[in-house]
Amino acid sequence: MKATGFLAKMLGAALLLLASSGVACAAEGGAIDTGDTAWILASAALVLLMTPGLAMFYGGMVRKKNVLGTLMHSFIAIAVISVQWVLVGYSLSFGPDAGGFVGSLQWFGLKGVGLEPSSYAPTIPHLAFVIYQCMFAVITPALISGAFAERMKFSAYVLFILLWSTLIYDPIAHWIWGSGGWLHGTLDFAGGLVVHLSSGVSALVAALVIGSRREYLKEPIRPHNLPMTVLGAGLLWFGWFGFNAGSALASGSLSTLAFVTTHTAAATATVVWVVAEWLHRGKATMFGAATGAIAGLATITPAAGFVSPSSAMVIGTAAALLCYGALNMKTVLGYDDSLDAFGVHGIGGLTGTLGAGLFASLAINPGGANGLFLGNAHTLLVQVKAIGAVALYSVVGTLVILKALDWTVGLRVNEDQEVEGLDLSQHSEEGYFLS
C-alpha cells in the first residue's frame, strides 16, 4: 500500500508539472502559411502510416507463429516513442543546444512549445514541426526490429527502443538537424544518417549480440505471407512521399523535387533489383521487387532534396546493386539479420549519404551545396565524416544498451519459447486460427 501511495503521488506530481507547461498560441494572421501547414500535417500522417506499413512488410516475412509478435514491434513503437518524444525526445533532439551534442531539457513535456512558428520551420506552427518529427522518431527503432525478429523478449524490446531512442536517436538528430549540433551542415535531407544508417548499423550489432535463430542455415525459414509483405511495401512507398517531400517543411518547388526524386529512385531500384536477381538466380521474384523498392527509397532519402531526377536514377541503381550484394553476403558471413535491416537500411543510408556528397547541386537547392561532381570535394569529406561519427556512436551505444539489458532482464526468449513462437510465448495469442 505504501508503494502504491508513493507511485500515485509521483504520478500526480508529473501530471501537475505537465499541466503547468502551457502551450503558447500564435495570433491569427501571423507568419503561419496555411498551405505549408496543411502539407506538413498531411506528411506527418503519411509518415505515421509508414510504421504500420513496416509492420506488415516485416510481418509477412516471418513464420506465422511470430506474425503478431513482429507486428507488435512496430505498433508498440508508435505509442512508446510518441510519449517519449513529448516528454524528452523533442527537447533532446531539437531543443536549445547543450554543447553541440544534445539539446537541453528546456522543452521538457513541450513546455513553451506552442502554435507560434519556430526557427526550424518559420511558416508552420511549432507543434506541427514537433508532430512531424515525432513520426521519424517512431519508425527508426522499429526498423531495427527486423534484425532480431522471432527471438527477442518483448519486455527487453520495449526497454531497448526507449533507451535507444533517448541515448542514440535523439543525440544524432541534434547533431545533424538540431540548432547548434556539431554535424550541422551535413547533407541529410530526410534521414539517411539520422534514421537509416543509425538504425541499420544498430540492427547489425543487435543481430550479432542476440545471435541467430535456432534453425538459421540449418533448415529453410520461409516467409509465411508474401502478399502481406507486398502490401506493407506499397504502404511504405506511399508514406515515403511524406517522409522525403515533407522534409522540405513547406509546400512548393523543393517538396516537388523531393517527391519526384523519391519516386524515380524507388522505381529505378526496383527494376535494377529484379534484373539483377533474374540474372543471378534465373527468376524474378515478388519479394525481390518489394525489397528493391524499399532499398531505393531508403537510399535516396538523404539526397532527395539536393539532386536531380537523373542523379536519383544513378543513386537508385547503386542502391539496388549494393543492397542486393549485402543481402547475399549475410549467408556467406553467417550472421542472421532476419529481415535485412542492415542490408537495406544500413547500406542504403550509407550509399545515399555518399550519393548526396557526389551529386548535390546548389542550382537545384541553394540551401545545400555542390557535390564532388560539381567540383566541391569538401562536401564529400563532410559526408564521410558524418557517416563515421554516426556509425561509430550507434555501434558503441547499441552494444552498451544491449549488454546492459542482457545482464538485467535478458534479451532472448528461451529455446522452448522460440520453438513455440513469440505470438504465444510473449503475447498469449495467435495470428491465425486455421482449420
Side-chain angles (χ1 to χ4, degrees), residues 324-372:
Y324 182 77
L327 265 61
N328 282 281
M329 283 301 296
K330 71 176 186 177
T331 54
V332 176
L333 298 176
Y335 66 91
D336 186 11
D337 176 8
S338 310
L339 310 181
D340 304 313
F342 170 71
V344 171
H345 299 282
I347 298 300
L350 185 152
T351 302
T353 302
L354 292 175
L358 295 172
F359 294 103
S361 169
L362 280 170
I364 291 171
N365 183 349
N370 284 327
L372 178 66

Side-chain angles (χ1 to χ4, degrees), residues 257-269 296-297 299-300 303-319 355 359 364:
L257 171 72
F259 198 114
V260 173
T261 56
T262 296
H263 187 69
T264 301
T268 302
L297 291 163
T299 304
I300 194 59
F306 301 117
V307 304
S308 67
S310 58
S311 295
M313 294 184 74
V314 178
I315 292 172
T317 299
F359 294 103
I364 291 171

Side-chain angles (χ1 to χ4, degrees), residues 55-96:
M56 299 189 74
F57 183 70
Y58 279 172
M61 293 165 65
V62 298
R63 291 164 290 184
K64 66 178 184 290
K65 65 182 180 179
N66 295 311
V67 60
L68 291 180
T70 302
L71 294 174
M72 187 64 156
H73 283 162
S74 292
F75 200 84
I76 198 64
I78 297 174
V80 170
I81 304 306
S82 293
V83 172
Q84 184 269 358
W85 188 251
V86 169
L87 289 175
V88 299
Y90 181 71
S91 193
L92 291 173
S93 298
F94 293 96

Side-chain angles (χ1 to χ4, degrees), residues 31-33 36-37 40 115-118 121-126 128-129 249-250:
I32 300 298
D33 183 285
D36 290 346
T37 302
I40 296 307
L115 300 177
E116 74 291 341
S118 74
T123 64
I124 65 174
H126 197 166
F129 180 75
L249 298 177

